[in-house]
Amino acid sequence: MIILESAAQMLGALLLTATISQGHFVERVVTVDGVERRYQVWIPAGYDSSRQWPAILFLHGAGERGSDNRRQTEVGLGPALREGIVSVPAVIAFPQCPDEGYWAGPERHIAMAVLDAVEKEFSIDKRRVTLTGLSMGGTGTWILAAENPRRFAAIAPVCGWVSTPPPFRTVADPPDWLWNAPDRFDAVARRIGDTPTWILHGGLDTVVPPEESRQMIARLGVNAAYTEFPQANHNSWDPAYRTTGVVAWLARQRLSSRA
């Protein structure tokens, strides 16, 4: 029996080694306020727990909400990882927002709980944790970064809104500090401070006006960069994640010190 157990353990180790030779997703679950929330984690090729790795939190858009624990990996960053278009030495967390929820609302606490769980399970350098998201997730990126200004070494919001988010204005339920601010762009910028930021947006976006991102780059100044895709509509996440190197840029960022 001892020999059989030892052989099984050796086989498992060999299979794990074979899997780690390529990046892949694993499924996980975390309990938030008594409710189980499933999420996915991208494990990069070459992952080895003997050293610390960067981590990226990815927030999907409104179309990927649900509880199937699949859709959040099927638009934007997930396909680029699966296809090998993006390959970075980083563990990437993919929470899923429930139906009818918004990353701008209470569901943002699910995203942070997932990040906490990933940092606990995997070997993560907490000075190298970054954040990105698209559309509804772009808005979540702004809000989470503003509420946790020393948690993220850098952020990259893609086609997110800050001020006027049609058609979600009455249901997004953003935090009071943002919704009641006389100037929402300024409220977010002041909270983010000097966090390195790369904003990306489609110049022809008919869902979230590019002016939302243009206003933020104007407020953030030298600590931010802005890429606008002149011919892209709302799905600017495709050129953003596939052509700009923004994910590799995120993986390289590091907090100089921790408050």
Side-chain angles (χ1 to χ4, degrees):
M1 180 66 68
I2 294 175
I3 295 175
L4 289 175
E5 287 181 350
S6 177
Q9 291 170 356
M10 290 177 63
L11 178 59
L14 288 172
L15 290 173
L16 179 61
T17 301
T19 301
I20 293 299
S21 67
Q22 294 184 344
H24 64 288
F25 280 103
V26 296
E27 297 187 12
R28 292 292 187 268
V29 62
V30 65
T31 300
V32 183
D33 296 329
V35 179
E36 288 191 346
R37 303 294 186 184
R38 295 192 297 159
Y39 62 97
Q40 298 263 2
V41 183
W42 175 262
I43 310 300
Y47 175 79
D48 178 352
S49 62
S50 67
R51 69 180 182 90
Q52 292 188 318
W53 294 72
I56 300 172
L57 177 61
F58 170 78
L59 304 180
H60 64 76
E64 294 75 65
R65 291 174 295 184
S67 58
D68 67 333
N69 200 26
R70 286 289 184 275
R71 284 196 291 269
Q72 77 269 35
T73 70
E74 295 175 349
V75 175
L77 182 52
L81 290 166
R82 281 198 181 96
E83 296 168 24
I85 295 170
V86 171
S87 179
V88 295
V91 175
I92 306 178
F94 288 73
Q96 186 173 30
C97 185
D99 287 322
E100 310 304 324
Y102 288 87
W103 294 129
E107 289 75 20
R108 66 190 185 276
H109 302 303
I110 297 174
M112 294 304 293
V114 166
L115 179 59
D116 289 341
V118 168
E119 289 183 351
K120 183 176 181 180
E121 178 180 357
F122 299 94
S123 182
I124 302 300
D125 184 345
K126 293 185 178 181
R127 299 168 299 172
R128 301 177 68 190
V129 176
T130 56
L131 171 63
T132 186
L134 61 89
S135 191
M136 178 186 81
T139 299
T141 297
W142 287 123
I143 291 176
L144 286 183
E147 291 187 331
N148 303 273
R150 295 301 298 166
R151 183 71 181 270
F152 301 105
I155 64 171
V158 181
C159 60
W161 67 83
V162 172
S163 182
T164 306
F168 311 115
R169 181 169 184 170
T170 61
V171 294
D173 190 24
D176 288 342
W177 65 262
L178 175 62
W179 201 241
N180 295 330
D183 184 329
R184 295 174 189 144
F185 298 110
D186 184 64
V188 171
R190 282 188 291 104
R191 283 172 170 260
I192 289 176
D194 61 357
T195 301
T197 302
W198 188 345
I199 310 167
L200 306 103
H201 214 120
L204 302 180
D205 196 328
T206 56
V207 177
V208 178
E211 188 63 22
E212 292 285 311
S213 290
R214 294 169 187 164
Q215 287 287 340
M216 283 307 304
I217 191 64
R219 306 304 174 87
L220 289 171
V222 297
N223 293 310
Y226 179 47
T227 298
E228 187 169 300
F229 306 98
Q231 302 304 315
N233 201 313
H234 191 49
N235 67 334
S236 55
W237 49 81
D238 285 334
Y241 291 124
R242 291 169 176 262
T243 70
T244 65
V246 67
V247 185
W249 174 81
L250 286 169
R252 291 194 301 268
Q253 305 308 303
R254 182 190 301 268
L255 283 172
S256 57
S257 62
R258 187 164 282 278

